[in-house]
Amino acid sequence: MARKPSSGPASDPELLILSSLADGPKHGWAIMSDIETFAGVTVGPGTLYNAITRLVEKELIAPIEGDGRQRPYKLTARGTAALDEQLQNMRRIASIGLRRLRLA
Amino acid sequence: MRTRLVSWLLRFYPKAWRAEYGAELASMLLVRPLGAAIVIDVAASGMWQRMRAIDASTAAGIGLMLVTIAALVSNVMAPTGYAFSERIDLLQRPMRLELYVLVMAGLGFWTASRGNHWPGRAAIRASIIASIPLVVVGVLMWAGILSFVELSPGQSPISTDGGIIYAFYKGQQQIPGPAPLVMVLSPLLRLPGAWLWGSVGGWLGRTYADWRRRPISA
């Protein structure tokens, strides 16, 4: 839990997990390390598994059989579509905001 | 030591959640430095999962129980005569109180509209949970820890013996004050009313659910 962005979409653990799984299945530990690397955010284990629980319930990710106690998770088709939609929205809003900043 | 701490932390989570994700979370916690921030994160997340796992009847019962406790505490700490009739009704005649009836009927509506076939039973469960503080009061009376004074309309609530006093307010009818046994059994006395209002709400909930599912004509 140690470090989180104070606000904004980049602080949403669900979005971070979906983005982490975009390049292939990962287990909890690997998701956490990956998020630290690409977003510079440390998500606590409790927060991470709360978000994983919600994403599984929404059928955006699904566990797959793995060896050992850590199960890998993968994006479902619905999860891929949801992530794509969210990122497109963020890109649209970011480009509008940046353009207006340059004009100001 | 570390294994015991991890197993203690996992107890914050509901059993069903532990069966699904417990082993994964435990294996992560066993290889990661367990600082205070991690411990707080895991414990808080566990409590959040427990809250999510609570069903509607338990949540409604706990909500009403907290209101009842507040009314009991204020009755004991600061009896104020007939100034707050809602508080008196909550403790002595809850089925006459709009809040209680609304919660029971609302719970029945909620459960029935989500496919539960026993809305009356859900309301009974909530009512029993809400009545727990009154049972405790009855036991305390029985044990002689709590005494009560009976007050008629217009009578001052000030006590004379300085002990812990539960003020019982007589209505216009001269009903006798609460015997400990009556207080302990009070949850049972509320069941018919709870069942009735839960079932009324349930009927409305089923009607609403049927209306939502009706085929849309062209």
Side-chain angles (χ1 to χ4, degrees):
Chain A
M1 192 174 73
R3 212 156 36 88
K4 277 184 181 177
S6 54
S7 63
S11 67
D12 178 12
E14 291 186 26
L15 181 65
L16 292 171
I17 293 169
L18 290 175
S19 299
S20 173
L21 296 177
D23 65 350
K26 293 182 188 70
H27 53 68
W29 178 261
I31 295 172
M32 199 194 277
S33 308
D34 187 42
I35 290 173
E36 277 185 32
T37 308
F38 77 78
V41 178
T42 305
V43 181
T47 306
L48 180 83
Y49 271 93
N50 267 359
I52 286 177
T53 307
R54 287 195 299 270
L55 289 168
V56 170
E57 285 170 1
K58 291 182 204 168
E59 297 177 359
L60 298 181
I61 65 172
I64 50 179
E65 287 305 313
D67 47 350
R69 298 178 79 186
Q70 287 267 323
R71 277 184 310 181
Y73 291 87
K74 65 169 184 180
L75 273 184
T76 61
R78 189 192 274 194
T80 306
L83 176 64
D84 187 60
E85 188 186 340
Q86 278 197 62
L87 294 179
Q88 296 286 1
N89 276 341
M90 285 170 70
R91 183 159 70 181
R92 190 170 51 82
I93 292 166
S95 68
I96 291 171
L98 286 168
R99 197 165 58 237
R100 288 181 179 175
L101 265 180
R102 285 190 205 103
L103 289 174
Chain B
M1 176 68 188
R2 189 185 184 85
T3 312
R4 283 176 65 182
L5 176 60
V6 169
S7 126
W8 177 76
L9 280 172
L10 283 177
R11 289 189 181 280
F12 279 93
Y13 291 82
K15 201 173 174 183
W17 192 95
R18 287 203 303 266
E20 185 68 26
Y21 301 100
E24 289 176 54
L25 180 57
S27 69
M28 183 183 279
L29 294 174
L30 285 170
V31 295
R32 195 182 167 88
L34 274 182
I38 300 284
V39 169
I40 292 168
D41 174 65
V42 174
S45 299
M47 285 189 275
W48 175 245
Q49 288 297 338
R50 274 201 189 272
M51 281 175 61
R52 290 181 79 220
I54 290 176
D55 62 296
S57 58
T58 308
I62 290 173
L64 276 178
M65 183 170 76
L66 293 175
V67 174
T68 306
I69 289 172
L72 276 170
V73 169
S74 76
N75 181 295
V76 171
M77 302 292 288
T80 49
Y82 279 81
F84 298 104
S85 60
E86 289 83 6
R87 190 183 74 188
I88 298 164
D89 280 344
L90 178 69
L91 297 176
Q92 294 172 195
R93 300 179 292 268
M95 289 306 161
R96 286 193 192 175
L97 195 64
E98 290 87 348
L99 169 74
Y100 211 89
V101 169
L102 271 176
V103 170
M104 293 299 136
L107 177 63
F109 181 93
W110 174 270
T111 53
S113 63
R114 273 153 185 76
N116 184 320
H117 298 297
W118 302 100
R121 197 182 285 180
I124 280 175
R125 179 181 160 82
S127 179
I128 289 173
I129 294 170
S131 305
I132 289 172
L134 293 179
V135 176
V136 173
V137 165
V139 171
L140 292 176
M141 280 180 180
W142 220 328
I145 297 168
L146 189 72
S147 50
F148 71 92
V149 288
E150 289 185 47
L151 299 173
S152 299
Q155 223 179 337
S156 164
I158 297 166
S159 65
T160 51
D161 63 0
I164 304 173
I165 303 294
Y166 172 78
F168 178 78
Y169 299 88
K170 286 183 182 176
Q172 296 303 320
Q173 309 90 345
Q174 293 300 304
I175 53 172
L181 184 63
V182 174
M183 295 293 279
V184 170
L185 295 179
S186 63
L188 296 177
L189 305 176
R190 295 172 175 203
L191 296 188
W195 179 84
L196 175 70
W197 287 112
S199 298
V200 168
W203 177 78
L204 290 170
R206 269 193 298 273
T207 307
Y208 172 72
D210 290 344
W211 176 78
R212 288 282 305 266
R213 279 196 296 266
R214 77 197 187 288
I216 298 167
S217 54

